[in-house]
Amino acid sequence: MTVALGLLLAAVALGVTGPAYLRPTADPRVHPGLALSAWVVTLLAAAGSAVAAAAVLVLPDPSVPDGMLGVAVVCWRALARGTDVPWLLLVRLLVGVTLLALLARVAVLFAASLRRQRRHRAERSGALRAVAEVRDGVWWIPCDDPVAFSLGGGRRGIVVAATGLRRLGPRVVDAVLAHERAHVRGRHHLAVALAVAAADALPRVPLCRAAPGAVGVLCELAADAAAVRRHGPAAVRAALAGTAGRTVTPRGAVGFDAFPEVRRSWLDSPRSVLLRGDGAAARLLAGAVALVPALLPAAGAIALVLAACLAP
């Protein structure tokens, strides 16, 4: 129970205080890839802590060899016989079952979101294949509007661009394609699906409620950062101006014209040299730092319970 309490408090701390302590990552001086890593790791850590807590509560242990089934039988017999109900076991059973139900709901919604994305990708790719010209890994479709989007799925995904995009010039086209390739390379479609599933399943949890907006914006900024690194901010600004107001991005895709105002503000803001890196080590460090606020209350709760148990 002590370990379960610590894990449960960690999940609650992440879910309740996550948006507050992740807010500083929105600073333009922080690389958006690091901020995105912090958000995704926080979501996964909250879910992982809840899963671990539920497992500790419902699986067999030395005190309850039969696990959840044994706890349920003991509580039922006490109620049937009119004897004192073992409240600690009853609380353990209710909390464990509730956690499992909530986590199952998140898993079902996430799987449904992935299935929708896969279905939309199959439908769109089938229609696009008939008219698209594939060149350098990009599906070029005959369309006068300068639009571009990416479809997630598999290891490579699909980057789609309209032939009308070429009117903006080769430098701008390269920036747009670098942006969309960054989406595919970073598995941003999965990050967005996770955030949306969490919000649909647990809309009253602050972290889950804020996740779709934050993750969606940070995915776009992280892709912009990749394009800026290769082609410069001027090309990305020109691309945003050239694609503004386009609304032909299909469902299940990530379009280049998403969140234009926020992205323009980020491009115009000063960015610190020290925090521009987004390598694997930097992302790992960002994720680890994001877990500190959850570890503190969990460690404190475990220490208090152990102190109470060991006190003479």
Side-chain angles (χ1 to χ4, degrees), residues 35-300:
L36 178 60
S37 296
W39 270 91
V40 172
V41 166
T42 301
L43 283 169
L44 293 176
S49 297
V51 169
V56 172
L57 290 171
V58 303
L59 292 179
D61 61 36
S63 61
V64 186
D66 294 330
M68 182 173 60
L69 180 60
V71 173
V73 170
V74 170
C75 293
W76 174 256
R77 287 177 178 174
L79 290 171
R81 296 173 182 174
T83 58
D84 292 338
V85 177
W87 292 109
L88 185 61
L89 291 181
L90 181 60
V91 169
R92 173 177 175 172
L93 176 64
L94 293 176
V95 173
V97 171
T98 301
L99 284 176
L100 287 177
L102 292 175
L103 292 168
R105 177 173 170 77
V106 174
V108 168
L109 290 172
F110 182 57
S113 179
L114 292 182
R115 284 197 300 271
R116 285 194 300 271
Q117 285 190 17
R118 190 179 301 112
R119 183 173 64 252
H120 294 154
R121 180 176 184 270
E123 293 172 354
R124 296 295 175 179
S125 61
L128 292 171
R129 189 179 290 111
V131 298
E133 175 191 358
V134 181
R135 184 186 304 170
D136 297 329
V138 179
W139 292 30
W140 291 95
I141 56 175
C143 178
D144 292 334
D145 290 328
V147 297
F149 56 88
S150 57
L151 296 169
R155 295 184 58 186
R156 291 162 47 182
I158 299 173
V159 174
V160 181
T163 53
L165 190 68
R166 293 169 177 159
R167 295 200 308 267
L168 302 179
R171 189 172 174 219
V172 173
V173 171
D174 289 342
V176 171
L177 297 182
H179 175 101
E180 296 304 330
R181 285 173 174 140
H183 278 317
V184 173
R185 188 170 57 251
R187 308 290 195 276
H188 292 167
H189 303 79
L190 285 177
V192 171
L194 172 64
V196 171
D200 288 344
L202 304 170
R204 295 187 178 182
V205 177
L207 177 68
C208 299
R209 186 169 58 246
V215 170
V217 169
L218 289 172
C219 283
E220 294 302 324
L221 294 181
D224 277 346
V228 167
R229 186 167 57 246
R230 298 193 61 181
H231 304 288
V236 179
R237 287 192 193 95
L240 280 172
T243 59
R246 309 302 177 182
T247 58
V248 297
T249 302
R251 288 188 305 170
V254 177
F256 184 82
D257 60 343
F259 308 107
E261 296 302 325
V262 176
R263 293 163 63 189
R264 289 192 189 98
S265 176
W266 179 81
L267 286 168
D268 294 336
S269 300
R271 295 181 294 278
S272 171
V273 175
L274 295 177
L275 295 177
R276 286 184 183 177
D278 66 337
R283 289 175 184 266
L284 182 62
L285 178 61
V289 171
L291 299 182
V292 171
L295 296 178
L296 293 179

